[in-house]
Amino acid sequence: MTAILSASELRGELAGARPPVLLDVRWQLGGPDQRPAYEAGHLPGAVYVDLDRELAGPPGAGGRHPLPDPEDFGAAMRRAGVRADEPVVVYDGGLGWAAARAWWLLRWTGHRNVRVLDGGLAAWTAAGGALGTDAPTPTEGDFKPNPGAFGLLDADDAAALARTGLLLDARAGERYRGEVEPIDPVGGHIPGAVSAPTTENVGPDGRFLSAGELRARFAALGAAGDTAVGVYCGSGVSGAHEVLALEVAGIPASLYAGSWSQWSSDPERPVATGPNP
């Protein structure tokens, strides 16, 4: 099973005997609630999931989007109809970051059959897929989270991996270099981390590059052989998209969920600037 699927593949599965549960995870960084956009049109049968409230805990010492309490997350997924033995497909309306966050959380907590719609809502409509406006009332699911199925890093783990393996910084290059920092307390990057903007994992249409192209990209950044790979971003959202890209490429990777928002909030932690690790 691959981590992503195309709009045409999804249409076929929705018409089949075992249609997946659909989760709409539209989200805009610093923007308004996306529920009105969902209500205006979504994939038929899709349930809206709020990233800030259901895929993250309250902002604080753990960063801007710390991991949610596993039991709270499990309850949210059950409300959305997620079952342990049924497939799940997640999508969003833009870059794929929010969908990847849902994908990563479900995988980390033990769901074995979850995929992201490659290209999101735009890919669906471009392929002729219909949209609906009725909000479904799903049957309560039975998914119970069992955290630990995917690699998770804390700040100390990330610092160590930057020295002994490969730690990728998924933010824009100018934030990595410390030239601008629009959100967090200080600009720059974790010493030893390599710049790898997640926007370079997709083409102009928002769909992932091929597995071969992604493997070549990550190999050029240092992901080769048995090298341990980790990813961070600003707050653990776009970093999940990079972990997804690595999964497509066949490269296992861990996520530093607290990411730069947590790292930079501690004045005792070192900060590097400029283009080099």
Side-chain angles (χ1 to χ4, degrees):
M1 186 187 72
T2 62
I4 59 175
L5 79 168
S6 68
S8 60
E9 289 170 331
L10 177 57
R11 290 178 72 174
E13 292 193 15
L14 289 172
R18 195 185 178 200
V21 172
L22 289 177
L23 303 181
D24 183 311
V25 199
R26 271 180 269 190
W27 173 77
Q28 184 177 342
L29 176 63
D33 182 0
Q34 294 298 295
R35 182 177 286 276
Y38 162 83
E39 292 173 346
H42 51 265
L43 270 67
V47 177
Y48 180 70
V49 174
D50 189 302
L51 185 149
D52 290 316
R53 296 179 180 87
E54 297 175 305
L55 304 183
R64 280 184 282 110
H65 289 105
L67 296 184
D69 176 85
E71 291 306 313
D72 292 342
F73 173 68
M77 293 298 98
R78 289 191 293 275
R79 287 194 302 271
V82 173
R83 303 186 63 82
D85 59 351
E86 295 295 334
V88 178
V89 172
V90 292
Y91 72 92
D92 60 29
L95 298 173
W97 296 357
R101 170 77 173 209
W103 168 84
W104 187 90
L105 278 167
L106 280 164
R107 290 297 306 276
W108 176 64
T109 53
H111 202 292
R112 292 178 293 181
N113 191 347
V114 54
R115 291 161 293 166
V116 170
L117 173 59
D118 193 16
L121 188 68
W124 175 259
T125 56
L131 298 180
T133 56
D134 292 339
T137 304
T139 301
E140 182 87 3
D142 65 0
F143 176 67
K144 295 182 179 179
N146 183 21
F150 256 25
L152 175 65
L153 306 175
D154 62 18
D156 291 338
D157 295 332
L161 187 59
R163 297 189 299 268
T164 62
L166 176 66
L167 182 65
L168 299 175
D169 185 318
R171 298 172 302 158
E174 58 268 24
R175 291 183 70 191
Y176 169 90
R177 296 188 294 271
E179 297 166 358
V180 299
E181 182 44 64
I183 306 172
D184 294 313
V186 63
H189 58 270
I190 297 173
V194 174
S195 180
T198 198
T199 52
E200 296 179 15
N201 295 324
V202 299
D205 59 1
R207 301 181 197 183
F208 280 103
L209 303 179
S210 71
E213 290 171 318
L214 288 170
R215 278 193 295 272
R217 181 191 185 215
F218 292 123
L221 293 169
D226 296 329
T227 301
V229 179
V231 179
Y232 74 97
C233 58
S235 64
V237 178
S238 67
H241 189 273
E242 187 118 299
V243 174
L244 175 57
L246 285 153
E247 180 82 359
V248 172
I251 302 169
S254 299
L255 177 68
Y256 171 26
S259 286
W260 189 248
S261 61
Q262 182 187 47
W263 182 279
S264 62
S265 68
D266 183 350
E268 298 298 316
R269 293 204 176 273
V271 171
T273 57
N276 299 319

